[in-house]
Amino acid sequence: MNPYKILVVDDSIFMRKMITDMITEDTQFQVIGTAKNGKEAVNMVKMLKPDAITMDIEMPEMNGLDALKIIMDIQPTPVIMLSSLTQDGARETIVALERGAVDFVGKPSGSISLDLHRVRELLLEKLHIAVKTNVLKFRSNPVVTPPIPRAKAVPRIEELPKVTKEQTVPHLSHQQGSSQVQQIVAIGTSTGGPRALHQVVSHIPGHLPAPVVIVQHMPPNFTKSLAQRLNSVSELHVVEAEEGMILQNGHAYVAPGGFHMTVARNGPGVYKIHISKEEARGGHRPSVDILFESLLPLKELKRHIVLMTGMGADGAKGMLALKNAGAVTTIAESEETCIVYGMPRAAVELKCVMHVLAQQEIAPKLAQVVCK
């Protein structure tokens, strides 16, 4: 088999060399060209038609975000973003994933460092996924954000009161008195997830009579940017989860990268979030299975469970256990809209899925089953 053709885009000659060396260690890949900015990248994509691209974000003349948008319009190609690990880098990466990038890898911090080996492993792993990804799905399933009514303006995360583990239920009883939690929506996703979450969460009504808990496989820092981005496009109040937060209807909670998130009963109709650094499950922390399993004893809740695009099988066994324990709804994203049909496929194969839905059908179904 001929090797997959890769284009490397970065404004640093040192980084272009380092990334090229990493990629060519795998004989299944061949670097067919390098570009020092987005403008060069667009032209080279037209000429070379690579199977996948690694793309820096910050570059002169044309940055990676603008180049990505043009490439997805004129010559849809799988793109892996090379992101800095700063807060700004995280925000830009989330936008890139919404615009069609398949995934991202944090930039290596030096030529001789402990993280270099891990970066190489991740880059090669994600390139293997990227070259098998049908990015034409982005055209047939564009992300559409509905307008958020002014009357339901969503405050930024910085404006929301933080709940610390020192706070107890009595401190929040005035919020819970008229809004006890009787239902919960739990969503798990991985590769392709930020784009899928944008589509789904932005179409869930703000008056949803249930909290939404979300596990997206993603490293620390990036989950905060993801929550902020979802908060800006949704009627729901979306936050990165913190230890001891009390679940509220019409709110969504994103598990922080590097931590497991679980839900526990804290009184009649009152539930709180627990964050832990326990061992990774199946290589993941946060783990979808661990979140789903925490809902098993909460049989008094109407539980609505969703698995969307992602590599592997995280969440499938948890969904099966919840279905057997009386979950009201189980949804898997259909293969037609998944960037990677792994996690939903695993759930379908376990015969625990009640509804197989295209990405754009998931929010309406959740509104229907939760609000009825």
Side-chain angles (χ1 to χ4, degrees):
M1 187 186 79
N2 293 328
Y4 293 107
K5 300 177 293 182
I6 311 298
L7 175 66
V8 173
V9 186
D10 199 291
D11 64 328
S12 161
I13 189 170
F14 172 74
M15 289 302 301
R16 292 198 297 273
K17 175 70 164 61
M18 180 187 291
I19 295 163
T20 297
D21 288 347
M22 287 181 179
I23 294 171
T24 52
E25 284 187 19
D26 190 322
T27 57
Q28 292 188 54
F29 298 123
Q30 175 190 3
V31 175
I32 57 167
T34 63
K36 63 178 181 293
N37 58 52
K39 188 175 179 181
E40 279 189 8
V42 170
N43 291 330
M44 294 183 79
V45 166
K46 292 177 188 175
M47 290 187 298
L48 301 176
K49 295 181 171 51
D51 296 306
I53 303 165
T54 69
M55 179 83 73
D56 188 19
I57 293 179
E58 288 299 327
M59 295 181 290
E61 288 197 60
M62 181 185 290
N63 65 33
L65 292 178
D66 291 341
L68 173 67
K69 187 175 186 304
I70 295 171
I71 289 166
M72 296 309 292
D73 285 340
I74 64 168
Q75 181 79 37
T77 307
V79 177
I80 302 293
M81 304 304 294
L82 272 294
S83 169
S84 70
L85 300 179
T86 64
Q87 190 65 45
D88 285 344
R91 280 194 293 265
E92 292 163 341
T93 300
I94 298 302
V95 173
L97 295 172
E98 289 175 2
R99 289 187 180 181
V102 173
D103 212 330
F104 72 96
V105 175
K107 274 193 165 186
S109 58
S111 57
I112 304 176
S113 64
L114 291 175
D115 76 338
L116 198 57
H117 177 70
R118 181 61 179 152
V119 170
R120 182 190 302 111
E121 280 187 344
L122 282 172
L123 180 58
L124 293 175
E125 173 189 318
K126 294 183 179 188
L127 276 173
H128 277 285
I129 295 170
V131 294
K132 296 177 178 68
T133 299
N134 179 10
V135 291
L136 289 174
K137 290 179 180 180
F138 292 128
R139 279 184 170 176
S140 59
N141 185 36
V143 169
V144 178
T145 304
I148 299 175
R150 288 183 179 273
K152 295 181 180 177
V154 180
R156 300 300 305 153
I157 283 181
E158 307 84 68
E159 298 168 354
L160 293 173
K162 286 191 176 181
V163 182
T164 65
K165 57 185 171 183
E166 286 76 24
Q167 290 177 291
T168 59
V169 174
H171 288 109
L172 298 172
S173 59
H174 66 287
Q175 297 176 7
Q176 296 297 328
S178 60
S179 181
Q180 287 198 332
V181 170
Q182 298 177 331
Q183 304 186 72
I184 191 167
V185 175
I187 300 175
T189 187
S190 187
T191 307
R195 183 182 175 88
L197 287 169
H198 184 134
Q199 175 75 277
V200 172
V201 173
S202 69
H203 286 81
I204 295 175
H207 58 78
L208 192 79
V212 180
V213 286
I214 298 167
V215 165
Q216 161 70 52
H217 295 158
M218 194 170 267
N221 198 25
F222 290 88
T223 46
K224 182 173 183 179
S225 291
L226 174 64
Q228 290 174 329
R229 178 63 177 166
L230 293 174
N231 187 58
S232 72
V233 300
S234 173
E235 291 183 18
L236 297 172
H237 294 256
V238 187
V239 299
E240 183 182 50
E242 296 180 17
E243 171 66 25
M245 278 184 166
I246 301 298
L247 295 182
Q248 298 182 62
N249 295 331
H251 287 59
Y253 306 84
V254 178
F259 293 85
H260 292 305
M261 177 173 72
T262 56
V263 175
R265 188 185 297 108
N266 206 54
V270 180
Y271 300 85
K272 71 176 181 179
I273 286 172
H274 180 55
I275 302 298
S276 74
K277 268 275 192 183
E278 291 174 21
E279 188 176 343
R281 172 83 67 86
H284 301 298
R285 192 172 62 201
S287 157
V288 182
D289 271 326
I290 284 180
L291 170 64
F292 285 2
E293 288 166 9
S294 74
L295 304 180
L296 285 171
L298 309 180
K299 295 187 177 182
E300 70 282 2
L301 283 176
K302 291 181 179 178
R303 294 159 294 183
H304 309 276
I305 312 303
V306 182
L307 275 176
M308 299 197 297
T309 176
M311 192 80 175
D314 189 21
K317 289 180 179 177
M319 178 180 277
L320 175 63
L322 281 165
K323 183 173 184 287
N324 292 338
V328 174
T329 312
T330 58
I331 297 171
E333 184 181 351
S334 66
E335 184 174 5
E336 288 70 31
T337 58
C338 278
I339 297 307
V340 179
Y341 187 55
M343 289 159 56
R345 182 203 295 273
V348 169
E349 290 175 350
L350 289 178
K351 303 187 187 310
C352 60
V353 178
M354 300 174 193
H355 309 280
V356 177
L357 300 174
Q359 196 178 102
Q360 62 271 21
E361 297 171 337
I362 293 173
K365 173 57 75 173
L366 286 173
Q368 177 192 353
V369 297
V370 176
C371 298
K372 69 179 180 181

